[in-house]
Amino acid sequence: MNEPDHNPDPESPSRGWIITYAIVLIYLAAVIGCLHLITQQYASAAP
Amino acid sequence: MKTIDWIIFGVYLLTIIAIGVSKGVRSRTTQQFLLADRRMPWWAIGLSVMATQASAITFIGTTGKAYNDGMKFIHFYLGLPLAMVILCVTLVPLYHRMKVYTAYEYLGRRFDEKTRLLSSILFLISRALALGVVVYAPSVVLAMLLNWDLKYTILLMASVAIAYTVLGGIQAVIWTDVFQMMLMFGGLVFCGVWMVIHLPEGVAFGDAMHLAGTVGHLNALDLSFDPKSKYTLWAGLIGGTFLFLAYFGCDQSQAQRLLTSRSLRDTRLSLIFNAFLKLPMQFAILLIGVLLFAFLQFADQPQMHFNPKLPDAITHGEHHDDYTTIETSYGEAFAVRRQAAQSLIDARPANDAAVLNAAQSAYRTAHQRVVEIRADADRLVKVHDDAYEDTNYVFPTYVLTQLPVGIVGLIIAVVFAAAMSSIDSELNALSTSSTMDIYRRHIRTNAGDRHYIWASRLLTLLWGLIAAGFALYAKYLGSVIEAVNQVGSYFYGSLLGVFVLALAYKRGNGHGAFWGLIAGMITVCIVGPPWDKLEKWDWFWSQMQDHHWLKPDGSPPWDVAWLWLNPIACAAVLVVGIIVSELTRSPDDRDTSTDASLAD
């Protein structure tokens, strides 16, 4: 007897994947924030 | 290079060839040779994706750009994490469900054969051109090391790469990429640490950063919205996302890796792996270039140009004296800047704002003088050799003159590893697409697996020779790093557009996709022509002037930075694709899109 199919659409992102994607986007925002801080840090020195 | 450097370099080359041979021998079917039997682990695919993107250009060109212009090139990569997430949700599940060999096979199933053929041909043209540049970059280093003519080094580089790629299929490509990526990480960490440790006496890491920041080299984020500017947050986030969607999802040289995984989960993991690692890696490479800027201004001998191949008229011809005069001025300006840099470093601990501002102002003025004199020298050199290029020689010069014996061989191996890991992937993808999308589909439709493996090997050889031919002319394209991406941007937006049409517009048909693709290419040619190249075409430029099509100051009527070409072309494909699809759609049209699009 076949196992019951708990995930009828395995290609649709599960909650775990959605959280992963959210983490990637938060990470991108953090990187942009860090770059902004670096730029600001030296903004007084730069022309 | 000393004997020990050659030994290290030789061991690296032998290791790579050994992996290529051992993996290539095992391939018995086209699925094994071209898709590794769809059994590769996610981490190997992830490293291979990184290695394919990080070519020798990444080390040579990016460090050179950071030396000259600072960190602003990081904008280019900001769209990458976004693109990875979008691909995980859209194209990747479809590729897995349909079990295709090439990205264009998907278009064939979704639309029709002519769309598959046209998109495959566009990919083949753009990749062959880009591959030429990828072969050219490490040849620059080799030419400098061996003091050989560039064309002989290009031929040597290409022949080694072709031989090793012909022997191995995608398995060899991925496993050598894993090894080479590890080598690259090691080399990168070593270079960074070495540079920080060996900053001149009295110059701390913070001082070096302050010097770079004073002249704007640490302006890592530009929030302005200027379509002419290549490096802004918006160009990176919007243009970059489109570029990376096209590169990772629609370019066979990357898409092929995604087709080799054991499962959909593994492919997604490999892309997320890249989303996290790529930005820090590029940041580190750019930082090395910025540190190089701080490091070299304390060098004993000022170096105005790093590329030793100056035109004859400069070295011993009519403009030799003029160049020498400029060089003398450069030496004086260089000494003044070094003094100003030292004064600025001395002023920092006191924390006196007035003194610090004065020191910064003096240093900035001194640096501006150095830049102006160098620009004068550039103009003089370019009178005799318009293709003279210096950016890509900065890092190799540092390696040869500053790193210890043994390490030079290692870093040269790293540069070669970066090059090889891109060349092999691209040759393999070119051969896969031409074998599966054209040869097997239109020329020899019913031969056995063995035949197609050999056809694929022969096509690898052919594409390698074409790439080598193009590499011989790549130096006329200016800075290598931009050249590769510029070539891509003329094609990628249109390719991406047709994939978006396939995914998002259920009523789209083959006619719409085909004409949309052509419209996208035409739009790119109109919106973003290479004005700097067209300026040199006297007849064309005089026609532009005669018809008053130029601005009053003689500049082009419009100018759009190349990163924006990707979304513009994508939009053009979608608009024309939808209109033509609707116009050519008959009530009897069968809906073939249900299993191959995301739209409901």
Side-chain angles (χ1 to χ4, degrees):
Chain A
M1 188 177 147
N2 291 335
E3 285 183 26
D5 188 359
H6 294 295
N7 187 3
D9 182 10
E11 287 166 6
S12 67
S14 62
R15 183 183 291 183
W17 280 113
I18 290 168
I19 292 169
T20 308
Y21 300 150
I23 292 170
V24 173
L25 298 182
I26 292 166
Y27 164 77
L28 176 62
V31 168
I32 292 172
C34 288
L35 293 176
H36 186 61
L37 282 177
I38 291 170
T39 306
Q40 289 299 305
Q41 168 83 15
Y42 294 96
S44 58
Chain B
M1 291 246 296
K2 301 280 192 275
T3 310
I4 185 73
D5 295 317
W6 284 112
I7 291 172
I8 290 171
F9 183 54
V11 167
Y12 152 73
L13 276 182
L14 287 174
T15 308
I16 290 300
I17 291 169
I19 295 172
V21 173
S22 67
K23 297 292 180 186
V25 167
R26 292 180 197 170
S27 297
R28 295 276 182 268
T29 65
T30 46
Q31 175 146 313
Q32 283 176 334
F33 191 71
L34 302 177
L35 295 181
D37 233 1
R38 300 186 198 272
R39 287 186 175 181
M40 298 304 289
W42 68 267
W43 55 270
I45 298 171
L47 285 170
S48 180
V49 165
M50 279 190 92
T52 298
Q53 196 193 6
S55 65
I57 293 163
T58 307
F59 285 86
I60 300 170
T62 309
T63 43
K65 281 184 82 66
Y67 173 84
N68 286 321
D69 304 326
M71 301 292 291
K72 62 185 182 185
F73 192 62
I74 194 74
H75 289 101
F76 176 72
Y77 293 93
L78 293 178
L80 191 141
L82 268 178
M84 298 290 101
V85 169
I86 295 171
L87 286 174
C88 282
V89 178
T90 56
L91 269 178
V92 167
L94 280 177
Y95 286 161
H96 268 268
R97 187 203 302 165
M98 300 177 88
K99 298 207 177 300
V100 289
Y101 274 86
T102 70
Y104 319 111
E105 189 181 341
Y106 160 68
L107 292 180
R109 293 199 204 172
R110 168 67 179 85
F111 293 124
D112 56 18
E113 268 312 306
K114 67 176 183 298
T115 306
R116 174 180 180 178
L117 190 62
L118 181 60
S119 55
S120 171
I121 288 171
L122 284 180
F123 160 72
L124 294 173
I125 294 170
S126 67
R127 257 311 124 189
L129 292 175
L131 182 56
V133 184
V134 175
V135 173
Y136 165 77
S139 302
V140 170
V141 186
L142 201 61
M144 195 169 162
L145 282 173
L146 303 174
N147 201 22
W148 285 3
D149 191 291
L150 189 62
K151 62 176 174 286
Y152 297 121
T153 59
I154 286 172
L155 293 176
L156 175 71
M157 181 82 207
S159 56
V160 172
I162 291 167
Y164 134 68
T165 311
V166 166
L167 286 171
I170 188 79
Q171 288 190 65
V173 169
I174 291 178
W175 287 118
T176 51
D177 283 1
V178 170
F179 169 72
Q180 300 188 102
M181 197 63 228
M182 303 305 261
L183 199 60
M184 278 186 258
F185 278 137
L188 193 60
V189 170
F190 181 88
C191 276
V193 172
W194 180 269
M195 211 170 277
V196 171
I197 291 173
H198 289 86
L199 280 170
E201 203 177 325
V203 181
F205 176 74
D207 297 327
M209 296 292 278
H210 195 88
L211 289 176
T214 302
V215 294
H217 272 37
L218 291 176
N219 287 351
L221 201 66
D222 183 348
L223 299 173
S224 65
F225 194 95
D226 177 5
K228 288 182 195 165
S229 178
K230 286 180 281 191
Y231 304 120
T232 64
L233 173 67
W234 311 111
L237 275 182
I238 301 170
T241 301
F242 276 82
L243 177 65
F244 289 120
L245 279 174
Y247 176 59
F248 287 99
C250 316
D251 184 313
Q252 179 66 12
S253 62
Q254 285 292 7
Q256 190 165 351
R257 245 132 294 273
L258 310 182
L259 305 172
T260 61
S261 72
R262 290 185 284 220
S263 66
L264 177 59
R265 175 185 167 276
D266 275 22
T267 308
R268 281 176 171 158
L269 280 174
S270 69
L271 289 178
I272 296 298
F273 177 79
N274 270 271
F276 279 107
L277 277 191
K278 187 66 188 175
L279 272 168
M281 181 181 155
Q282 285 305 134
F283 185 85
I285 293 172
L286 284 166
L287 193 60
I288 285 178
V290 168
L291 285 171
L292 210 51
F293 164 79
F295 181 90
L296 289 179
Q297 61 188 282
F298 292 97
D300 295 333
Q301 293 295 323
Q303 194 157 2
M304 192 160 65
H305 283 124
F306 295 89
N307 180 352
K309 294 264 181 195
L310 288 160
D312 289 345
I314 298 292
T315 51
H316 48 265
E318 54 179 312
H319 280 123
H320 173 69
D321 291 345
D322 296 335
Y323 188 82
T324 308
T325 305
I326 295 175
E327 208 167 29
T328 306
S329 303
Y330 184 84
E332 291 164 3
F334 186 89
V336 170
R337 183 178 68 173
R338 184 165 54 192
Q339 185 56 49
Q342 195 57 58
S343 301
L344 177 53
I345 290 168
D346 295 341
R348 286 189 70 218
N351 224 3
D352 182 330
V355 174
L356 195 61
N357 282 340
Q360 283 174 341
S361 179
Y363 174 68
R364 209 175 290 133
T365 306
H367 174 71
Q368 190 55 38
R369 179 75 185 131
V370 167
V371 170
E372 283 167 6
I373 294 173
R374 196 169 165 215
D376 287 343
D378 282 345
R379 276 192 286 276
L380 185 64
V381 170
K382 282 182 185 287
V383 167
H384 300 284
D385 182 2
D386 189 42
Y388 182 83
E389 208 281 320
D390 202 49
T391 307
N392 305 312
Y393 288 81
V394 179
F395 184 66
T397 303
Y398 169 78
V399 171
L400 284 179
T401 56
Q402 303 292 333
L403 295 186
V405 175
I407 299 301
V408 174
L410 182 71
I411 299 300
I412 298 305
V414 167
V415 174
F416 263 75
M420 291 287 197
S421 60
S422 299
I423 294 168
D424 60 9
S425 304
E426 292 177 13
L427 278 177
N428 196 253
L430 285 166
S431 122
T432 303
S433 183
S434 44
T435 304
M436 305 307 284
D437 293 324
I438 298 175
Y439 183 73
R440 186 168 166 172
R441 197 75 189 163
H442 299 280
I443 298 170
R444 185 78 184 270
T445 53
N446 55 358
D449 260 5
R450 196 177 162 78
H451 176 86
Y452 291 121
I453 289 178
W454 279 103
S456 178
R457 285 188 162 131
L458 280 174
L459 283 164
T460 305
L461 175 67
L462 181 68
W463 284 116
L465 294 176
I466 291 171
F470 179 71
L472 293 170
Y473 295 94
K475 74 170 187 167
Y476 298 103
L477 288 174
S479 177
V480 174
I481 181 77
E482 276 188 29
V484 164
N485 292 309
Q486 209 168 346
V487 167
S489 285
Y490 278 97
F491 295 83
Y492 277 160
S494 303
L495 275 177
L496 179 65
V498 79
F499 277 86
V500 174
L501 186 74
L503 289 169
Y505 192 62
K506 190 178 172 184
R507 290 159 66 91
N509 62 22
H511 298 302
F514 183 81
W515 290 108
L517 206 45
I518 289 174
M521 292 300 299
I522 293 171
T523 304
V524 167
C525 291
I526 294 170
V527 174
W531 292 115
D532 53 332
K533 307 286 185 297
L534 292 174
E535 268 177 6
K536 288 160 197 146
W537 184 11
D538 292 337
W539 177 85
F540 178 83
W541 212 246
S542 62
Q543 291 294 314
M544 292 282 288
Q545 278 171 330
D546 293 347
H547 290 85
H548 305 290
W549 287 338
L550 298 177
K551 283 183 184 171
D553 63 356
S555 61
W558 64 85
D559 195 8
V560 176
W562 56 264
L563 261 179
W564 289 105
L565 297 181
N566 298 291
I568 290 170
C570 184
V573 173
L574 284 175
V575 170
V576 174
I578 289 171
I579 292 171
V580 174
S581 293
E582 289 302 325
L583 291 176
T584 57
R585 188 179 169 89
S586 71
D588 302 329
D589 270 358
R590 187 175 63 86
D591 187 358
T592 58
S593 65
T594 45
D595 65 340
S597 81
L598 296 177
D600 292 320

